[in-house]
PDB file of all heavy atoms in Angstrom:
ATOM      1  N   TYR C  21     114.839  94.303  83.438  1.00  0.00           N
ATOM      2  CA  TYR C  21     115.199  92.883  83.454  1.00  0.00           C
ATOM      3  C   TYR C  21     114.611  92.180  84.673  1.00  0.00           C
ATOM      4  O   TYR C  21     114.103  91.058  84.579  1.00  0.00           O
ATOM      5  CB  TYR C  21     116.712  92.701  83.439  1.00  0.00           C
ATOM      6  CG  TYR C  21     117.071  91.230  83.522  1.00  0.00           C
ATOM      7  CD1 TYR C  21     116.897  90.389  82.427  1.00  0.00           C
ATOM      8  CD2 TYR C  21     117.519  90.675  84.719  1.00  0.00           C
ATOM      9  CE1 TYR C  21     117.164  89.038  82.515  1.00  0.00           C
ATOM     10  CE2 TYR C  21     117.791  89.325  84.812  1.00  0.00           C
ATOM     11  CZ  TYR C  21     117.617  88.510  83.712  1.00  0.00           C
ATOM     12  OH  TYR C  21     117.866  87.166  83.810  1.00  0.00           O
ATOM     13  N   LEU C  22     114.644  92.839  85.824  1.00  0.00           N
ATOM     14  CA  LEU C  22     114.118  92.209  87.034  1.00  0.00           C
ATOM     15  C   LEU C  22     112.593  92.117  87.032  1.00  0.00           C
ATOM     16  O   LEU C  22     112.010  91.475  87.908  1.00  0.00           O
ATOM     17  CB  LEU C  22     114.614  92.963  88.271  1.00  0.00           C
ATOM     18  CG  LEU C  22     116.127  92.882  88.505  1.00  0.00           C
ATOM     19  CD1 LEU C  22     116.529  93.733  89.696  1.00  0.00           C
ATOM     20  CD2 LEU C  22     116.591  91.437  88.705  1.00  0.00           C
ATOM     21  N   ALA C  23     111.963  92.753  86.057  1.00  0.00           N
ATOM     22  CA  ALA C  23     110.513  92.605  85.865  1.00  0.00           C
ATOM     23  C   ALA C  23     110.198  91.740  84.644  1.00  0.00           C
ATOM     24  O   ALA C  23     109.034  91.587  84.286  1.00  0.00           O
ATOM     25  CB  ALA C  23     109.864  93.978  85.704  1.00  0.00           C
ATOM     26  N   SER C  24     111.233  91.160  84.022  1.00  0.00           N
ATOM     27  CA  SER C  24     111.058  90.461  82.746  1.00  0.00           C
ATOM     28  C   SER C  24     110.559  89.036  82.928  1.00  0.00           C
ATOM     29  O   SER C  24     110.641  88.450  84.014  1.00  0.00           O
ATOM     30  CB  SER C  24     112.390  90.423  81.992  1.00  0.00           C
ATOM     31  OG  SER C  24     113.304  89.535  82.637  1.00  0.00           O
ATOM     32  N   ASP C  25     110.076  88.460  81.845  1.00  0.00           N
ATOM     33  CA  ASP C  25     109.644  87.061  81.860  1.00  0.00           C
ATOM     34  C   ASP C  25     110.819  86.124  82.110  1.00  0.00           C
ATOM     35  O   ASP C  25     110.661  85.085  82.772  1.00  0.00           O
ATOM     36  CB  ASP C  25     108.968  86.711  80.532  1.00  0.00           C
ATOM     37  CG  ASP C  25     107.623  87.391  80.343  1.00  0.00           C
ATOM     38  OD1 ASP C  25     107.053  87.869  81.350  1.00  0.00           O
ATOM     39  OD2 ASP C  25     107.145  87.450  79.194  1.00  0.00           O
ATOM     40  N   HIS C  26     111.991  86.470  81.583  1.00  0.00           N
ATOM     41  CA  HIS C  26     113.152  85.596  81.765  1.00  0.00           C
ATOM     42  C   HIS C  26     113.480  85.448  83.246  1.00  0.00           C
ATOM     43  O   HIS C  26     113.636  84.326  83.757  1.00  0.00           O
ATOM     44  CB  HIS C  26     114.352  86.177  81.013  1.00  0.00           C
ATOM     45  CG  HIS C  26     115.557  85.275  80.995  1.00  0.00           C
ATOM     46  ND1 HIS C  26     116.676  85.511  81.768  1.00  0.00           N
ATOM     47  CD2 HIS C  26     115.818  84.145  80.299  1.00  0.00           C
ATOM     48  CE1 HIS C  26     117.573  84.561  81.545  1.00  0.00           C
ATOM     49  NE2 HIS C  26     117.076  83.722  80.648  1.00  0.00           N
ATOM     50  N   TRP C  27     113.543  86.545  83.956  1.00  0.00           N
ATOM     51  CA  TRP C  27     113.885  86.515  85.387  1.00  0.00           C
ATOM     52  C   TRP C  27     112.746  85.945  86.221  1.00  0.00           C
ATOM     53  O   TRP C  27     112.952  85.065  87.061  1.00  0.00           O
ATOM     54  CB  TRP C  27     114.249  87.921  85.838  1.00  0.00           C
ATOM     55  CG  TRP C  27     114.534  88.073  87.307  1.00  0.00           C
ATOM     56  CD1 TRP C  27     113.726  88.643  88.244  1.00  0.00           C
ATOM     57  CD2 TRP C  27     115.708  87.647  88.003  1.00  0.00           C
ATOM     58  NE1 TRP C  27     114.320  88.614  89.479  1.00  0.00           N
ATOM     59  CE2 TRP C  27     115.547  88.013  89.360  1.00  0.00           C
ATOM     60  CE3 TRP C  27     116.888  87.011  87.614  1.00  0.00           C
ATOM     61  CZ2 TRP C  27     116.507  87.740  90.332  1.00  0.00           C
ATOM     62  CZ3 TRP C  27     117.852  86.742  88.586  1.00  0.00           C
ATOM     63  CH2 TRP C  27     117.655  87.106  89.924  1.00  0.00           C
ATOM     64  N   ASN C  28     111.549  86.412  85.988  1.00  0.00           N
ATOM     65  CA  ASN C  28     110.429  85.959  86.823  1.00  0.00           C
ATOM     66  C   ASN C  28     110.026  84.524  86.523  1.00  0.00           C
ATOM     67  O   ASN C  28     109.589  83.798  87.422  1.00  0.00           O
ATOM     68  CB  ASN C  28     109.247  86.910  86.654  1.00  0.00           C
ATOM     69  CG  ASN C  28     109.455  88.206  87.426  1.00  0.00           C
ATOM     70  OD1 ASN C  28     109.378  88.229  88.650  1.00  0.00           O
ATOM     71  ND2 ASN C  28     109.759  89.291  86.718  1.00  0.00           N
ATOM     72  N   GLY C  29     110.194  84.097  85.267  1.00  0.00           N
ATOM     73  CA  GLY C  29     109.968  82.687  84.965  1.00  0.00           C
ATOM     74  C   GLY C  29     110.981  81.802  85.671  1.00  0.00           C
ATOM     75  O   GLY C  29     110.640  80.717  86.169  1.00  0.00           O
ATOM     76  N   PHE C  30     112.218  82.253  85.719  1.00  0.00           N
ATOM     77  CA  PHE C  30     113.263  81.531  86.432  1.00  0.00           C
ATOM     78  C   PHE C  30     112.906  81.384  87.913  1.00  0.00           C
ATOM     79  O   PHE C  30     112.998  80.290  88.487  1.00  0.00           O
ATOM     80  CB  PHE C  30     114.581  82.277  86.269  1.00  0.00           C
ATOM     81  CG  PHE C  30     115.697  81.775  87.136  1.00  0.00           C
ATOM     82  CD1 PHE C  30     116.375  80.619  86.823  1.00  0.00           C
ATOM     83  CD2 PHE C  30     116.090  82.485  88.271  1.00  0.00           C
ATOM     84  CE1 PHE C  30     117.425  80.157  87.625  1.00  0.00           C
ATOM     85  CE2 PHE C  30     117.127  82.039  89.075  1.00  0.00           C
ATOM     86  CZ  PHE C  30     117.795  80.872  88.750  1.00  0.00           C
ATOM     87  N   LEU C  31     112.490  82.473  88.542  1.00  0.00           N
ATOM     88  CA  LEU C  31     112.137  82.409  89.968  1.00  0.00           C
ATOM     89  C   LEU C  31     110.935  81.504  90.205  1.00  0.00           C
ATOM     90  O   LEU C  31     110.872  80.789  91.213  1.00  0.00           O
ATOM     91  CB  LEU C  31     111.863  83.813  90.500  1.00  0.00           C
ATOM     92  CG  LEU C  31     113.041  84.785  90.509  1.00  0.00           C
ATOM     93  CD1 LEU C  31     112.620  86.111  91.134  1.00  0.00           C
ATOM     94  CD2 LEU C  31     114.240  84.206  91.248  1.00  0.00           C
ATOM     95  N   LYS C  32     109.989  81.518  89.294  1.00  0.00           N
ATOM     96  CA  LYS C  32     108.830  80.631  89.417  1.00  0.00           C
ATOM     97  C   LYS C  32     109.260  79.173  89.357  1.00  0.00           C
ATOM     98  O   LYS C  32     108.769  78.326  90.114  1.00  0.00           O
ATOM     99  CB  LYS C  32     107.815  80.942  88.315  1.00  0.00           C
ATOM    100  CG  LYS C  32     106.532  80.124  88.406  1.00  0.00           C
ATOM    101  CD  LYS C  32     105.738  80.482  89.650  1.00  0.00           C
ATOM    102  CE  LYS C  32     104.405  79.758  89.682  1.00  0.00           C
ATOM    103  NZ  LYS C  32     103.658  80.032  90.949  1.00  0.00           N
ATOM    104  N   ASP C  33     110.205  78.868  88.465  1.00  0.00           N
ATOM    105  CA  ASP C  33     110.720  77.504  88.353  1.00  0.00           C
ATOM    106  C   ASP C  33     111.332  77.017  89.662  1.00  0.00           C
ATOM    107  O   ASP C  33     111.287  75.821  89.976  1.00  0.00           O
ATOM    108  CB  ASP C  33     111.788  77.416  87.257  1.00  0.00           C
ATOM    109  CG  ASP C  33     111.226  77.563  85.855  1.00  0.00           C
ATOM    110  OD1 ASP C  33     109.995  77.450  85.683  1.00  0.00           O
ATOM    111  OD2 ASP C  33     112.033  77.792  84.928  1.00  0.00           O
TER     112      ASP C  33
END
Side-chain angles (χ1 to χ4, degrees):
Y21 177 74
L22 294 176
S24 71
D25 291 343
H26 187 254
W27 176 255
N28 283 287
F30 170 77
L31 295 183
K32 183 66 175 176
D33 290 345

